[in-house]
Amino acid sequence: MSTLLKNVTNCIWHAFDSLQNNEVVHKSKLKVLTANIGTLLDLYGVEKGLDHFRSSQELTFDEFRYYLQHEVFSSLPKTVTLPVVREYEKKISEVCWFVCRKSLLGRDKPVFGDDSVFKLFRIFCLLADLVQDSEESSRYVVVLQPSEAGIVAEQLVLCLGLRWDAADWEALGSSIGHFKWAAFLAVLEAKYCCDHQLHAEALVEAVDEIYDVFIEDIIKKGYLYKWGYLLPTMREYWCVLQPCALTYYKSSAQREQCGRVAIDEYCSVEPAPSAGDGKLQRFQLVTPERTFEFATQDHKSRLQWVSALRQAAAVSGGAEGYQRRARAGRRGAGARREREARETRARLQNEVRARLAAEAQAQELAELSKKDNKKLEELKNAQAELERLLQEETQAKRDEEIVRALQARVLTEEWEKREELERLQEEQNRMLEEERLKRKQFEMLQAEKEAQFKEAERRLKELEEEKQRLDAELRAAQEKISQTEHNALALHVQLRDHPIFRNGERARRAISFVPTTKSSSDTLIDVKAIRHLKVLDDEDKL
């Protein structure tokens, strides 16, 4: 993992520098540092190879870095995700800080706390360069370019609510040159954080803010509304956007994580259909797994979040963090500016040489003209020529005055036309504003009509369901009446065929007792008819 070693080289150099003596460090000290780094990377026993590495008992930084690259970091997988790389960097930085913190924390009037200084140290190592102290010496030093240091200082000043003076920083950067760690920390504390009105909590919050930007690669954070998956409602969360993920919490304290949305180059941000309430500005984050719906309170915040999410999706690939890529882009632009400056200086030098050659040639001509006093006639002709040129120049000045007068008239006409155009533009803007108001009223009327139409559809559906229920009850009642009539007819036939019908009077009595139609109590009537028949049978027996 050459990328990981490259990212933590500056931190390792500071640890090496705190241990070195005359540009070398004894292997026994390097074993402890190497063992701690290997333990963090889940590699054990990597420090044992130092005994057989080189024949000397002391190593330079180049030799130690070569050993780390080929014996330690080469054992890691070639492809590691960005969160894993960021976690490795943090752990290795903490180990290196533990080794060198005593030498880097020493100062007369400290302003920042130890934790804040460690965070500034990580930012310094992220943006700084490892360069040789001199061309003849093999000693290295970590320095920060004035432009990069200015970016950190500007962010810190703005987080503290102060005014940033770019011209003052340029003067300071040109006087100091490259910033080493001690100078960088001293400038931040003595120049921008020495105000007694600043509270310690404000300094801690400001350092945490720039730490999140540079180290944690937080592109944006703030409150967002999210549409729930299990509970379909909009809930407000504190969201933190990084190039690889959007994490949302219950509050800005970021203690209770509610979820995490992975972001890659296949994600996209699209506008969401309006819900009709008109209060929230919605948009969708489309991932390969599912689509998430978010919303903001106003249109400006929606545009900012959409832009930030698209930027996060664009820089999500690879194992390099967002700030490291931005730093590389700034270095490339700086190299281009330096190259253009060198070309400009070379062109100016060529022009200066050409001008000096022309002046030397003019001087030679002047000397020749002084020596050649015999050519008086030519000088007279030259005088006559000069007079003619003077007349031509006078005429040219007159023509120039005429042209200027014409230009003044054209400019006057142009101003008049511009005023007319501005008036037309104001009228057009007014008409556009009226058109927007009419469109908004039409949209509100259309939304109201749609709500009425939906309510009518719902009522019609309820009426249809009520009609179906009544039809079912009517059919059940009709079937019950038909069954009742059928039972009455069968009972009538049974009574007519019974032996008691031989006696005419009893037959009439029995038949008259049977109802022609059945009501809801026809079952009870059938029982009474049967009992009456039994009574008639008993009378016959008697």
PDB file of all heavy atoms in Angstrom, residues 106-124:
ATOM      1  N   GLY A 106       6.134  21.954  22.849  1.00  0.00           N
ATOM      2  CA  GLY A 106       6.860  22.936  23.640  1.00  0.00           C
ATOM      3  C   GLY A 106       6.773  24.336  23.043  1.00  0.00           C
ATOM      4  O   GLY A 106       7.198  24.580  21.916  1.00  0.00           O
ATOM      5  N   ARG A 107       6.213  25.298  23.800  1.00  0.00           N
ATOM      6  CA  ARG A 107       6.137  26.697  23.397  1.00  0.00           C
ATOM      7  C   ARG A 107       5.894  27.536  24.654  1.00  0.00           C
ATOM      8  O   ARG A 107       5.467  27.014  25.686  1.00  0.00           O
ATOM      9  CB  ARG A 107       5.043  26.921  22.351  1.00  0.00           C
ATOM     10  CG  ARG A 107       3.669  26.421  22.769  1.00  0.00           C
ATOM     11  CD  ARG A 107       2.790  26.246  21.534  1.00  0.00           C
ATOM     12  NE  ARG A 107       1.410  26.012  21.877  1.00  0.00           N
ATOM     13  CZ  ARG A 107       0.919  24.841  22.246  1.00  0.00           C
ATOM     14  NH1 ARG A 107       1.738  23.786  22.339  1.00  0.00           N
ATOM     15  NH2 ARG A 107      -0.368  24.716  22.513  1.00  0.00           N
ATOM     16  N   ASP A 108       6.146  28.849  24.529  1.00  0.00           N
ATOM     17  CA  ASP A 108       6.104  29.715  25.714  1.00  0.00           C
ATOM     18  C   ASP A 108       4.684  29.987  26.183  1.00  0.00           C
ATOM     19  O   ASP A 108       4.361  29.804  27.363  1.00  0.00           O
ATOM     20  CB  ASP A 108       6.824  31.034  25.406  1.00  0.00           C
ATOM     21  CG  ASP A 108       8.298  30.803  25.128  1.00  0.00           C
ATOM     22  OD1 ASP A 108       8.841  29.790  25.626  1.00  0.00           O
ATOM     23  OD2 ASP A 108       8.899  31.611  24.396  1.00  0.00           O
ATOM     24  N   LYS A 109       3.827  30.449  25.283  1.00  0.00           N
ATOM     25  CA  LYS A 109       2.458  30.827  25.658  1.00  0.00           C
ATOM     26  C   LYS A 109       1.466  30.008  24.840  1.00  0.00           C
ATOM     27  O   LYS A 109       1.024  30.445  23.769  1.00  0.00           O
ATOM     28  CB  LYS A 109       2.237  32.317  25.432  1.00  0.00           C
ATOM     29  CG  LYS A 109       3.139  33.195  26.294  1.00  0.00           C
ATOM     30  CD  LYS A 109       2.881  34.673  26.013  1.00  0.00           C
ATOM     31  CE  LYS A 109       3.756  35.557  26.886  1.00  0.00           C
ATOM     32  NZ  LYS A 109       3.522  37.004  26.615  1.00  0.00           N
ATOM     33  N   PRO A 110       1.124  28.817  25.305  1.00  0.00           N
ATOM     34  CA  PRO A 110       0.195  27.986  24.534  1.00  0.00           C
ATOM     35  C   PRO A 110      -1.223  28.567  24.543  1.00  0.00           C
ATOM     36  O   PRO A 110      -1.683  29.101  25.549  1.00  0.00           O
ATOM     37  CB  PRO A 110       0.242  26.630  25.252  1.00  0.00           C
ATOM     38  CG  PRO A 110       0.670  26.955  26.641  1.00  0.00           C
ATOM     39  CD  PRO A 110       1.562  28.156  26.542  1.00  0.00           C
ATOM     40  N   VAL A 111      -1.889  28.462  23.423  1.00  0.00           N
ATOM     41  CA  VAL A 111      -3.275  28.914  23.278  1.00  0.00           C
ATOM     42  C   VAL A 111      -4.207  27.726  23.056  1.00  0.00           C
ATOM     43  O   VAL A 111      -5.258  27.618  23.677  1.00  0.00           O
ATOM     44  CB  VAL A 111      -3.412  29.926  22.119  1.00  0.00           C
ATOM     45  CG1 VAL A 111      -4.878  30.316  21.907  1.00  0.00           C
ATOM     46  CG2 VAL A 111      -2.565  31.160  22.393  1.00  0.00           C
ATOM     47  N   PHE A 112      -3.800  26.813  22.183  1.00  0.00           N
ATOM     48  CA  PHE A 112      -4.615  25.635  21.888  1.00  0.00           C
ATOM     49  C   PHE A 112      -4.334  24.533  22.906  1.00  0.00           C
ATOM     50  O   PHE A 112      -3.212  24.420  23.437  1.00  0.00           O
ATOM     51  CB  PHE A 112      -4.315  25.095  20.487  1.00  0.00           C
ATOM     52  CG  PHE A 112      -4.692  26.047  19.388  1.00  0.00           C
ATOM     53  CD1 PHE A 112      -3.713  26.657  18.626  1.00  0.00           C
ATOM     54  CD2 PHE A 112      -6.018  26.325  19.107  1.00  0.00           C
ATOM     55  CE1 PHE A 112      -4.042  27.525  17.610  1.00  0.00           C
ATOM     56  CE2 PHE A 112      -6.363  27.195  18.097  1.00  0.00           C
ATOM     57  CZ  PHE A 112      -5.385  27.801  17.350  1.00  0.00           C
ATOM     58  N   GLY A 113      -5.338  23.703  23.136  1.00  0.00           N
ATOM     59  CA  GLY A 113      -5.159  22.524  23.962  1.00  0.00           C
ATOM     60  C   GLY A 113      -4.400  21.435  23.220  1.00  0.00           C
ATOM     61  O   GLY A 113      -4.182  21.508  21.996  1.00  0.00           O
ATOM     62  N   ASP A 114      -3.967  20.393  23.953  1.00  0.00           N
ATOM     63  CA  ASP A 114      -3.181  19.330  23.339  1.00  0.00           C
ATOM     64  C   ASP A 114      -3.959  18.615  22.245  1.00  0.00           C
ATOM     65  O   ASP A 114      -3.407  18.283  21.190  1.00  0.00           O
ATOM     66  CB  ASP A 114      -2.741  18.318  24.408  1.00  0.00           C
ATOM     67  CG  ASP A 114      -1.743  18.938  25.369  1.00  0.00           C
ATOM     68  OD1 ASP A 114      -1.299  20.073  25.119  1.00  0.00           O
ATOM     69  OD2 ASP A 114      -1.417  18.276  26.377  1.00  0.00           O
ATOM     70  N   ASP A 115      -5.241  18.373  22.452  1.00  0.00           N
ATOM     71  CA  ASP A 115      -6.048  17.693  21.444  1.00  0.00           C
ATOM     72  C   ASP A 115      -6.180  18.544  20.187  1.00  0.00           C
ATOM     73  O   ASP A 115      -6.098  18.039  19.069  1.00  0.00           O
ATOM     74  CB  ASP A 115      -7.433  17.378  22.020  1.00  0.00           C
ATOM     75  CG  ASP A 115      -8.269  16.553  21.057  1.00  0.00           C
ATOM     76  OD1 ASP A 115      -7.855  15.422  20.744  1.00  0.00           O
ATOM     77  OD2 ASP A 115      -9.327  17.044  20.620  1.00  0.00           O
ATOM     78  N   SER A 116      -6.365  19.848  20.354  1.00  0.00           N
ATOM     79  CA  SER A 116      -6.455  20.742  19.198  1.00  0.00           C
ATOM     80  C   SER A 116      -5.120  20.818  18.464  1.00  0.00           C
ATOM     81  O   SER A 116      -5.083  20.874  17.227  1.00  0.00           O
ATOM     82  CB  SER A 116      -6.904  22.134  19.638  1.00  0.00           C
ATOM     83  OG  SER A 116      -8.186  22.099  20.223  1.00  0.00           O
ATOM     84  N   VAL A 117      -4.019  20.818  19.211  1.00  0.00           N
ATOM     85  CA  VAL A 117      -2.695  20.846  18.563  1.00  0.00           C
ATOM     86  C   VAL A 117      -2.482  19.577  17.750  1.00  0.00           C
ATOM     87  O   VAL A 117      -1.920  19.612  16.640  1.00  0.00           O
ATOM     88  CB  VAL A 117      -1.595  21.015  19.615  1.00  0.00           C
ATOM     89  CG1 VAL A 117      -0.219  20.910  18.980  1.00  0.00           C
ATOM     90  CG2 VAL A 117      -1.737  22.368  20.309  1.00  0.00           C
ATOM     91  N   PHE A 118      -2.932  18.423  18.267  1.00  0.00           N
ATOM     92  CA  PHE A 118      -2.797  17.179  17.503  1.00  0.00           C
ATOM     93  C   PHE A 118      -3.596  17.247  16.201  1.00  0.00           C
ATOM     94  O   PHE A 118      -3.129  16.795  15.142  1.00  0.00           O
ATOM     95  CB  PHE A 118      -3.277  16.008  18.352  1.00  0.00           C
ATOM     96  CG  PHE A 118      -3.420  14.721  17.581  1.00  0.00           C
ATOM     97  CD1 PHE A 118      -2.320  14.093  17.028  1.00  0.00           C
ATOM     98  CD2 PHE A 118      -4.673  14.151  17.393  1.00  0.00           C
ATOM     99  CE1 PHE A 118      -2.458  12.912  16.310  1.00  0.00           C
ATOM    100  CE2 PHE A 118      -4.820  12.986  16.684  1.00  0.00           C
ATOM    101  CZ  PHE A 118      -3.711  12.357  16.134  1.00  0.00           C
ATOM    102  N   LYS A 119      -4.779  17.820  16.246  1.00  0.00           N
ATOM    103  CA  LYS A 119      -5.580  17.944  15.023  1.00  0.00           C
ATOM    104  C   LYS A 119      -4.924  18.889  14.024  1.00  0.00           C
ATOM    105  O   LYS A 119      -4.906  18.632  12.820  1.00  0.00           O
ATOM    106  CB  LYS A 119      -6.989  18.417  15.373  1.00  0.00           C
ATOM    107  CG  LYS A 119      -7.777  17.375  16.160  1.00  0.00           C
ATOM    108  CD  LYS A 119      -9.177  17.864  16.518  1.00  0.00           C
ATOM    109  CE  LYS A 119      -9.938  16.781  17.267  1.00  0.00           C
ATOM    110  NZ  LYS A 119     -11.297  17.216  17.662  1.00  0.00           N
ATOM    111  N   LEU A 120      -4.360  19.994  14.534  1.00  0.00           N
ATOM    112  CA  LEU A 120      -3.618  20.892  13.637  1.00  0.00           C
ATOM    113  C   LEU A 120      -2.377  20.209  13.081  1.00  0.00           C
ATOM    114  O   LEU A 120      -1.980  20.454  11.924  1.00  0.00           O
ATOM    115  CB  LEU A 120      -3.231  22.159  14.397  1.00  0.00           C
ATOM    116  CG  LEU A 120      -4.381  23.096  14.778  1.00  0.00           C
ATOM    117  CD1 LEU A 120      -3.860  24.226  15.661  1.00  0.00           C
ATOM    118  CD2 LEU A 120      -5.047  23.666  13.526  1.00  0.00           C
ATOM    119  N   PHE A 121      -1.773  19.353  13.882  1.00  0.00           N
ATOM    120  CA  PHE A 121      -0.610  18.589  13.408  1.00  0.00           C
ATOM    121  C   PHE A 121      -0.984  17.669  12.250  1.00  0.00           C
ATOM    122  O   PHE A 121      -0.256  17.575  11.252  1.00  0.00           O
ATOM    123  CB  PHE A 121      -0.039  17.784  14.571  1.00  0.00           C
ATOM    124  CG  PHE A 121       1.013  16.784  14.180  1.00  0.00           C
ATOM    125  CD1 PHE A 121       2.281  17.176  13.812  1.00  0.00           C
ATOM    126  CD2 PHE A 121       0.711  15.424  14.167  1.00  0.00           C
ATOM    127  CE1 PHE A 121       3.246  16.249  13.454  1.00  0.00           C
ATOM    128  CE2 PHE A 121       1.659  14.486  13.809  1.00  0.00           C
ATOM    129  CZ  PHE A 121       2.936  14.898  13.443  1.00  0.00           C
ATOM    130  N   ARG A 122      -2.124  17.016  12.349  1.00  0.00           N
ATOM    131  CA  ARG A 122      -2.573  16.143  11.255  1.00  0.00           C
ATOM    132  C   ARG A 122      -2.876  16.949   9.997  1.00  0.00           C
ATOM    133  O   ARG A 122      -2.561  16.523   8.883  1.00  0.00           O
ATOM    134  CB  ARG A 122      -3.821  15.367  11.687  1.00  0.00           C
ATOM    135  CG  ARG A 122      -3.553  14.284  12.703  1.00  0.00           C
ATOM    136  CD  ARG A 122      -4.641  13.225  12.648  1.00  0.00           C
ATOM    137  NE  ARG A 122      -4.669  12.570  11.358  1.00  0.00           N
ATOM    138  CZ  ARG A 122      -5.635  11.738  10.959  1.00  0.00           C
ATOM    139  NH1 ARG A 122      -6.656  11.499  11.763  1.00  0.00           N
ATOM    140  NH2 ARG A 122      -5.595  11.175   9.775  1.00  0.00           N
ATOM    141  N   ILE A 123      -3.476  18.127  10.171  1.00  0.00           N
ATOM    142  CA  ILE A 123      -3.737  18.992   9.006  1.00  0.00           C
ATOM    143  C   ILE A 123      -2.432  19.448   8.379  1.00  0.00           C
ATOM    144  O   ILE A 123      -2.284  19.472   7.147  1.00  0.00           O
ATOM    145  CB  ILE A 123      -4.598  20.186   9.434  1.00  0.00           C
ATOM    146  CG1 ILE A 123      -5.969  19.715   9.924  1.00  0.00           C
ATOM    147  CG2 ILE A 123      -4.756  21.171   8.287  1.00  0.00           C
ATOM    148  CD1 ILE A 123      -6.825  20.811  10.518  1.00  0.00           C
ATOM    149  N   PHE A 124      -1.457  19.802   9.232  1.00  0.00           N
ATOM    150  CA  PHE A 124      -0.147  20.219   8.733  1.00  0.00           C
ATOM    151  C   PHE A 124       0.511  19.097   7.933  1.00  0.00           C
ATOM    152  O   PHE A 124       1.040  19.320   6.831  1.00  0.00           O
ATOM    153  CB  PHE A 124       0.732  20.638   9.914  1.00  0.00           C
ATOM    154  CG  PHE A 124       2.137  21.016   9.530  1.00  0.00           C
ATOM    155  CD1 PHE A 124       2.430  22.281   9.065  1.00  0.00           C
ATOM    156  CD2 PHE A 124       3.168  20.090   9.622  1.00  0.00           C
ATOM    157  CE1 PHE A 124       3.722  22.627   8.703  1.00  0.00           C
ATOM    158  CE2 PHE A 124       4.457  20.415   9.277  1.00  0.00           C
ATOM    159  CZ  PHE A 124       4.739  21.700   8.807  1.00  0.00           C
TER     160      PHE A 124
END
